[in-house]
Amino acid sequence: MSQPPYIGRFAPSPTGPLHAGSLVAALASWLDARAHGGQWQVRIEDIDTPRCVPGASDTILQQLATCGLLPDAAPVYQSQRGTLYQQALEQLTRQGLAYPCGCTRQDIAAALAISGHSRERHAELIYPGTCRSGLNGKPARAWRFLASPEGQSANVTWTDRRLGTQTQTVSDQVGDFVLRRADGLWAYQLAVVVDDAAQGITDVVRGEDLADNTARQILLQRALGLPTPRYLHTPLVLATNGEKLSKQNGAQALLTSNSQAVLAALNAAAACLNLPAASGTPSEALAQWTQPWAAQWALKSSGERFHHSTA
Ligand code: GLU
């Protein structure tokens, strides 16, 4: 049986230039595609407009090119794909799996206080489901995904190529998450699922900080009848304070002013991925890592590709 084609992607949010942390995800996703004879695409995730920095997407594409990381297709911009997200929301709504929510943050806090079950996750209150049965005269603000139709708990088990078996009870640990925000913007979870399927992505390789989103994305894939890609979450580069390196804790924009700086940045990213130091031009360095990457991250048979289970 022939293997399905491999299509991978790097999906940066243009909130600033590439830095040492985002380069790790870019390099890993590129190497995985190359090592498996696949295609590599870039998707600019520019839907959270208040967080986007003007010019950052062009800067990122230039930085990638300087590193020798050239996409095999024209980059896709999420800001131009609202129609697809709208169609997906309408499909979920028809299926009874999405509902409008009229609650403000204060409403949610008040409902949780009354129920005596106030719970938070990553500083977000877990939605108590107030609007599941209707808006009760309130205007619709956001749209939410019904994580546990008919009150069944939504338990998702999936396998990460590096982290192994992962389990999350989305209905309990996350709750009915947002698909369209109160400010009218599309939520990352919906956009990423729609786009990964529309672009035929077979393999998602991204930073470990995003692993926690995967169960939600798998629930949405199932609800929309879309395939589930394979997942590989890469190690994070940590800032001196021990947090994930980000612009907020001092990540420096990648230096691409000369080839020595580019090689140093690529070597630092490669070291984080357990690859040996390489030399030469960026493209020569990339070529030296393809084989070691392939040896480290062989793909399981295609039979496992779309496997996921509910427990
Ligand atoms: N846009 C997300 C970020 O830059 C990555 C999304 C993904 O790879 O699924 O953190």
Side-chain angles (χ1 to χ4, degrees), residues 1-301:
M1 215 171 67
S2 71
Q3 290 278 336
Y6 180 115
I7 306 178
R9 52 46 159 207
F10 174 54
S13 304
T15 55
L18 277 187
H19 53 71
S22 36
L23 182 62
V24 171
L27 176 63
S29 60
W30 187 93
L31 283 172
D32 203 49
R34 282 293 166 274
H36 300 108
Q39 253 196 40
W40 186 68
Q41 304 196 2
V42 173
R43 181 171 71 231
I44 302 290
E45 301 211 320
D46 55 352
I47 34 168
D48 191 352
T49 39
R51 288 184 60 235
C52 291
V53 171
S57 40
D58 287 344
T59 305
I60 291 172
L61 292 169
Q62 258 162 28
Q63 289 174 305
L64 290 171
T66 313
C67 290
L69 303 172
L70 294 167
D72 296 314
V76 162
Y77 291 81
Q78 287 192 323
S79 56
Q80 296 167 5
R81 298 164 70 81
T83 312
L84 287 180
Y85 312 143
Q86 182 65 42
Q87 283 166 357
L89 179 60
E90 284 167 11
Q91 181 182 338
L92 293 170
T93 309
R94 276 196 307 275
Q95 293 169 188
L97 293 173
Y99 65 89
C101 172
C103 296
T104 60
R105 228 174 273 271
Q106 288 94 317
D107 293 336
I108 298 173
L112 287 168
I114 292 168
S115 73
H117 294 295
S118 189
R119 285 183 311 134
E120 279 191 19
R121 176 187 171 80
H122 303 165
E124 278 280 329
L125 291 168
I126 295 185
Y127 187 61
T130 318
C131 293
R132 248 179 236 154
S133 52
L135 287 163
N136 284 316
K138 287 187 287 191
R141 290 167 50 80
W143 283 77
R144 291 181 183 274
F145 181 70
L146 184 61
S148 55
E150 287 129 36
Q152 286 162 13
S153 77
N155 195 354
V156 179
T157 297
W158 57 282
T159 305
D160 183 89
R161 289 166 58 200
R162 182 173 77 92
L163 304 171
T165 303
Q166 308 287 308
T167 299
Q168 187 178 66
T169 309
V170 178
S171 49
D172 189 51
Q173 290 170 259
V174 182
D176 291 354
F177 55 90
V178 170
L179 300 170
R180 187 168 201 170
R181 301 171 8 176
D183 57 11
L185 296 177
W186 294 105
Y188 158 66
Q189 309 294 354
L190 181 68
V192 80
V193 162
V194 168
D195 284 337
D196 282 339
Q199 293 179 269
I201 301 301
T202 60
D203 288 82
V204 170
V205 178
R206 60 186 177 190
E208 191 175 330
D209 56 317
L210 294 162
D212 183 71
N213 296 281
T214 310
R216 264 168 283 176
Q217 293 170 13
I218 290 174
L219 270 191
L220 279 177
Q221 289 153 4
R222 288 181 189 166
L224 290 163
L226 302 173
T228 291
R230 277 178 294 241
Y231 289 96
L232 168 58
H233 288 88
T234 57
L236 299 181
V237 178
L238 300 182
T240 40
N241 64 1
E243 285 172 11
K244 178 204 161 196
L245 190 65
S246 69
K247 228 176 28 183
Q248 287 70 30
N249 57 28
Q252 301 291 313
L254 208 69
L255 266 185
T256 46
S257 47
N258 63 68
S259 57
Q260 215 121 40
V262 175
L263 183 66
L266 280 170
N267 264 319
C272 181
L273 295 166
N274 210 12
L275 294 165
S279 55
T281 64
S283 298
E284 286 163 359
L286 294 176
Q288 289 160 54
W289 289 318
T290 312
Q291 251 328 96
W293 181 276
Q296 200 177 333
W297 298 112
L299 290 173
K300 295 260 169 60
S301 70

